[in-house]
Amino acid sequence: MATLSVPPVLSSPRDDAMQLFRAFKGLGTDTSAVINILAHRDAAQRSLIQHEYRTLYSEDLFKRLSSELTGNLETAVLFWMHDLPGRDAIIVRQALMMNTLNLEAATEVICSRTPSQIQVFKQHYHAKFGIHLERDIESCASGDHKKLLLAYASMPRYEGREVDREMVVKDAKALYKAGEKKWGTDEKTFIHIFSERSAAHLAAVDSAYHDMYGNSLNKVIKKETSGHFEHALKTILLCSENPANYFAKVLHKAMKGMGTNDTALIRVIVTRTEIDMHYIKAEYLKKYKKTLNDAVHSETSGHYQAFLLALLGPNH
């Protein structure tokens, strides 16, 4: 797992808690000080700062941040304060609530995570909200999309790199038979293979499919499926091959055209900073001939911009 590319932290969590308290005091908040501290601390340090803050001031740092910050900055900072699985649980829960329904976000998070990441965030989900993730999927998703999400969230999958070549060819043939060769689509076969096979296996199936039938699975999915089901299949496939490339595309889409999809921008930057952001930045530059930092800089402003850029790290 990647760590934040920041200089070594010289202040203790206690010092940080005291500095944050000073930043909140008086008229207005010293937002720059808040950003400078929190954007440069990893998950363990952020957790210790919260503990120290509560010990020193008998106050919840989350609640204080929520009352001192506003808008996109508040959303980004509050997400950042959680650890990875806790954050995934909150993002998916919000995305699966009727008043804030965002099936695209829920699909992205569930279908881009490894089986072990899913298991841990499911435990957090149940502990935080007193409901199983599957129950919320049942009530918010529908059709083949729902079937795929339920299968993907509950199936244990191998996480190693070894693949069984015979099985790869067998799956490529099964997908051809279920899609391009058939009048209509046998969605069941797609759900079965995409929810039960390892990432390495799926990437090998895509390669074998291309060799055998001259087409990429991505194109087949686009032609044979639609809507949220298509999005889920594509996310699983692309993340099996190159997650950084997938997230570079999501970020580009969030900033393309008129206006910015800040929900997607915050979600991807905050959730990937401590996982693979340096790879995402490299993919973004390669794909769009512009640094991710420059793109974010031109689409955002103020303290919100400063916070996202601090998470992204050096502009190269």
Side-chain angles (χ1 to χ4, degrees), residues 110 115 118-119 121-122 133-134 137 148-157 195:
I110 294 166
I118 291 171
Q119 289 316 308
F121 102 66
K122 273 169 66 177
L133 170 65
E134 289 84 350
I137 292 171
L148 179 57
L149 286 189
L150 287 171
Y152 199 77
S154 56
M155 282 287 177
R157 284 177 297 281
S195 65

Side-chain angles (χ1 to χ4, degrees), residues 270-294:
V270 172
T271 59
R272 303 312 289 189
T273 288
E274 293 175 287
I275 299 177
D276 54 0
M277 186 49 76
H278 55 303
Y279 294 118
I280 294 170
K281 285 163 74 175
E283 288 288 344
Y284 196 95
L285 180 61
K286 191 166 88 181
K287 215 169 175 50
Y288 304 111
K289 307 292 176 265
K290 182 180 190 177
T291 69
L292 179 56
N293 294 55
D294 285 348

Side-chain angles (χ1 to χ4, degrees), residues 4-200:
L4 287 175
S5 55
V6 295
V9 175
L10 301 174
S11 59
S12 69
R14 193 180 182 85
D15 293 337
D16 286 341
M18 290 163 79
Q19 280 189 53
L20 285 169
F21 185 74
R22 281 198 291 273
F24 299 142
K25 275 178 79 172
L27 277 171
T29 304
D30 184 352
T31 310
S32 295
V34 174
I35 291 169
N36 286 336
I37 295 165
L38 296 179
H40 299 118
R41 303 296 184 266
D42 64 24
Q45 290 164 337
R46 296 193 303 273
S47 176
L48 288 169
I49 292 168
Q50 288 176 66
H51 174 73
E52 290 290 350
Y53 194 90
R54 185 183 282 282
T55 305
L56 287 167
Y57 307 112
S58 304
E59 184 182 34
D60 187 311
L61 181 55
F62 263 96
K63 283 185 180 156
R64 191 64 197 253
L65 286 165
S66 188
S67 69
E68 298 287 339
L69 307 175
T70 57
N72 289 324
L73 176 66
E74 179 192 353
T75 305
V77 171
L78 292 181
F79 275 151
W80 177 243
M81 291 305 292
H82 292 279
D83 61 5
L84 274 77
R87 190 188 300 133
D88 278 352
I90 289 164
I91 290 170
V92 173
R93 172 68 171 170
Q94 284 180 1
L96 293 177
M97 287 173 79
M98 282 307 171
N99 58 337
T100 52
L101 192 63
N102 184 344
L103 287 173
E104 193 171 323
T107 301
E108 177 199 292
V109 173
I110 294 166
C111 296
S112 66
R113 302 309 190 246
T114 65
S116 46
Q117 285 170 340
I118 291 171
Q119 289 316 308
V120 179
F121 102 66
K122 273 169 66 177
Q123 288 162 9
H124 278 250
Y125 198 98
H126 187 255
K128 267 183 203 299
F129 308 116
I131 190 167
H132 290 288
L133 170 65
E134 289 84 350
R135 278 279 303 280
D136 278 343
I137 292 171
E138 278 279 0
S139 56
C140 293
S142 61
D144 293 314
H145 177 235
K146 174 166 84 176
K147 288 176 194 165
L148 179 57
L149 286 189
L150 287 171
Y152 199 77
S154 56
M155 282 287 177
R157 284 177 297 281
Y158 171 62
E159 292 188 42
R161 302 307 301 165
E162 294 86 2
V163 297
D164 176 340
R165 288 284 150 199
E166 273 182 44
M167 195 69 168
V168 164
V169 171
K170 195 176 160 194
D171 282 348
K173 284 178 178 170
L175 289 170
Y176 179 68
K177 211 170 149 188
E180 286 190 287
K181 195 182 177 187
K182 192 178 168 64
W183 178 254
T185 309
D186 171 13
E187 290 87 357
K188 217 189 237 176
T189 300
F190 278 84
I191 292 167
H192 167 66
I193 291 171
F194 276 68
S195 65
E196 294 189 20
R197 305 296 188 250
S198 72

